[in-house]
Amino acid sequence: MKVYDCCDLIRQRYAEIGSGDQGYIPNAIACAVKTLNAIASDESVPEEAREQAAFAAANLLISDHKDA
């Protein structure tokens, strides 16, 4: 997936990180898993979104990609 395939909010944050307005996080996989875990464990979030977050986090954890 490319940044231009993402929603406006993601493209906005991408531009802010690229310009230096927002901080870059070197351990992006760990950051993503922590965020997805927070979504998956939040009972105020709709069940479908929680399931999607859990599935995405599990796939990241099982993938062979590692943070540098």
Side-chain angles (χ1 to χ4, degrees):
M1 180 175 227
K2 303 286 184 196
V3 69
Y4 298 107
D5 297 327
C6 296
C7 70
D8 288 340
L9 186 57
I10 291 174
R11 290 195 312 264
Q12 180 181 353
R13 294 298 176 262
Y14 182 89
E16 290 169 356
I17 292 167
S19 71
D21 290 341
Q22 288 283 334
Y24 170 74
I25 299 173
N27 295 327
I29 300 296
C31 176
V33 170
K34 286 179 185 178
T35 301
L36 291 165
N37 182 62
I39 294 166
S41 63
D42 186 345
E43 294 183 6
S44 70
V45 173
E47 185 66 25
E48 182 178 356
R50 292 176 64 208
E51 287 289 338
Q52 291 172 341
F55 185 78
N59 272 283
L60 284 172
L61 290 167
I62 205 163
S63 75
D64 59 356
H65 183 81
K66 305 284 186 215
D67 280 324

